Amino acid sequence: MDKVVLVTGANSGIGLALCERLLSQDSGVRLCLACRNSGRAEAARSALLTSHPGARVDLLDLDVGSVRSVLRAAQEVKARYPRLDHLYLNAGIMPNPHVDIKAFFKGLFSSKAIQMFSTAEGLLTQQDRPTADGLQEVFTTNLFGHFLLVRELEVLLCGAGRPSQVVWTSSSNALRSAFSLEDLQHATGTEPYSSSKYASDLLSLALNRHHNAQGLFSSVICPGLVMTNLTYGILPSFFWTLLMPIMWFIRIFTNTLTLTPYNGAEALNWLFLQKPESLDARAKYHSMTSGLGNNYTQPRQMDVDEETSEALYGKLLELEKVMRRRIREGPDRL
């Protein structure tokens, strides 16, 4: 049987670029586009089939920001496929990001300009909100929904006769300083995106510790600075018109400005070609693009430790039990 690959957030940006690249190098792969917007998902599927007429591309209705949606979608996946070879946890949100303009211009003309463009450290704040499940939206969409999806699909990922791979789309903005075990959902902070991405780094480490023996291997990537709808929403359009020449110039000095979704998907695509068991569980695999436009993948050690990752894993398991109990006791039963 050919490889079965499920990609969350696959209807645009890096997720769609990854699907295009996978089909270009392995026409036999069976793709499942897991998206919350059915119209955009169908458009993405049509675009993929136009460029790859013989491809097998399935659609899955999935909103990782909804516990019920995750559980329903997982049941459908288990009914469709006997196993999963690759699970790309790519969907994510950064709602209503705001830039500290003063900090931006101060950093632009300083020695920290490259670091600022690479990580957005100290520049971005976001407005979060609770979901219908009573959880913080960024935490649920970027982390907990994906954690629950992995938990539900363990039967397809573990013990299938050959290693399976789970890949998290993280960020260079995943900072330890933004994360707290005491405020797991980042309800009181101003950097929920950074917190959720750091948590995904920690969780990947824990998944490897708990599931490598069963054949499940987890990795983390950073796509670099990619111009997508999420990125363009951070600043007014005229700012990007002014900034793009500067960004192309800065790319001469740092290769983390990948800029296009195709380039940003480089590490995701590279991991597809590797043996999962040969990868470094503590590395984040970065998509890189040189000043001449050449793409490559570079591993960098993550700022994570086993004690914190294990504590996070335990807290997520506890939250999973709470949410399952609420659903069983609630009127909208699965």
Side-chain angles (χ1 to χ4, degrees):
M1 180 180 176
D2 293 319
K3 289 183 177 181
V4 179
V5 181
L6 190 152
V7 184
T8 70
N11 61 271
S12 64
I14 296 168
L16 180 57
L18 168 65
C19 293
E20 175 66 38
R21 294 186 66 163
L22 293 181
L23 289 176
S24 295
Q25 68 188 6
D26 187 350
S27 59
V29 71
R30 184 169 183 179
L31 278 177
C32 180
L33 315 186
C35 311
R36 64 179 178 178
N37 186 307
S38 58
R40 293 179 181 177
E42 186 57 56
R45 180 177 183 272
S46 297
L48 291 171
L49 292 178
T50 297
S51 54
H52 304 277
R56 291 177 296 172
V57 182
D58 304 327
L59 298 181
L60 178 70
D61 185 11
L62 170 65
D63 178 2
V64 286
S66 165
V67 171
R68 288 176 173 81
S69 177
V70 171
L71 296 179
R72 292 189 183 109
Q75 292 301 316
E76 187 171 341
V77 171
K78 286 184 281 190
R80 285 187 193 177
Y81 311 112
R83 72 160 192 268
L84 276 179
D85 296 283
H86 300 269
L87 175 58
Y88 286 97
L89 305 176
N90 172 72
I93 59 170
M94 183 192 294
N96 302 310
H98 295 281
V99 175
D100 184 332
I101 299 297
K102 183 178 179 180
F104 172 78
F105 281 106
K106 183 178 179 180
L108 183 62
F109 301 103
S110 73
S111 60
K112 297 182 178 180
I114 293 177
Q115 180 182 356
M116 180 186 71
F117 275 103
S118 300
T119 67
E121 182 175 356
L123 282 182
L124 295 177
T125 61
Q126 308 99 46
Q127 294 178 356
D128 205 354
R129 61 184 181 183
T131 68
D133 296 312
L135 304 173
Q136 291 299 115
E137 184 178 31
V138 176
F139 164 81
T140 308
T141 304
N142 294 359
L143 182 77
F144 184 66
H146 282 136
F147 168 75
L148 190 58
L149 185 64
V150 173
R151 290 276 295 160
E152 283 288 305
L153 298 181
E154 282 180 8
V155 65
L156 302 185
L157 293 164
C158 296
R162 63 187 188 192
S164 62
Q165 187 181 59
V166 173
V167 182
W168 300 79
T169 298
S170 182
S171 170
S172 57
N173 191 244
L175 304 173
R176 180 187 287 266
S177 59
F179 176 79
S180 169
L181 284 169
E182 286 67 44
D183 184 16
L184 194 63
Q185 299 187 43
H186 207 76
T188 62
T190 59
E191 298 180 274
Y193 180 83
S194 179
S195 174
S196 68
K197 292 303 180 180
Y198 183 76
S200 70
D201 296 354
L202 289 169
L203 182 53
S204 180
L205 184 64
L207 288 175
N208 281 309
R209 186 166 54 252
H210 285 273
H211 294 298
N212 279 178
Q214 290 81 46
L216 186 158
F217 294 85
S218 180
S219 296
V220 180
I221 73 100
C222 172
L225 179 59
V226 181
M227 304 310 296
T228 64
N229 291 336
L230 185 153
T231 314
Y232 281 120
I234 295 173
L235 291 169
S237 58
F238 74 90
F239 264 97
W240 289 118
T241 302
L242 296 174
L243 285 176
M244 286 308 294
I246 298 174
M247 294 172 70
W248 282 99
F249 175 74
I250 289 177
R251 200 166 81 173
I252 298 174
F253 305 99
T254 177
N255 295 351
T256 59
L257 273 67
T258 50
L259 299 183
T260 71
Y262 181 92
N263 295 344
E266 177 67 22
L268 293 166
N269 184 69
W270 183 84
L271 285 174
F272 178 78
L273 302 174
Q274 310 308 308
K275 294 182 178 179
E277 63 271 27
S278 69
L279 298 167
D280 185 351
R282 290 181 172 271
K284 181 178 293 185
Y285 293 88
H286 289 249
S287 295
M288 311 289 277
T289 304
S290 71
L292 297 176
N294 298 315
N295 294 321
Y296 61 99
T297 298
Q298 183 181 87
R300 297 180 180 178
Q301 289 297 296
M302 297 189 290
D303 180 22
V304 293
D305 63 87
E306 291 193 5
E307 182 179 356
T308 308
S309 73
E310 189 63 26
L312 170 63
Y313 188 74
K315 284 180 174 288
L316 291 176
L317 288 176
E318 292 175 4
L319 181 58
E320 177 189 349
K321 292 179 182 178
V322 171
M323 297 311 299
R324 289 183 185 276
R325 185 172 63 249
R326 287 183 186 176
I327 289 175
R328 286 196 302 269
E329 296 172 353
D332 184 9
R333 298 187 179 185
L334 295 169

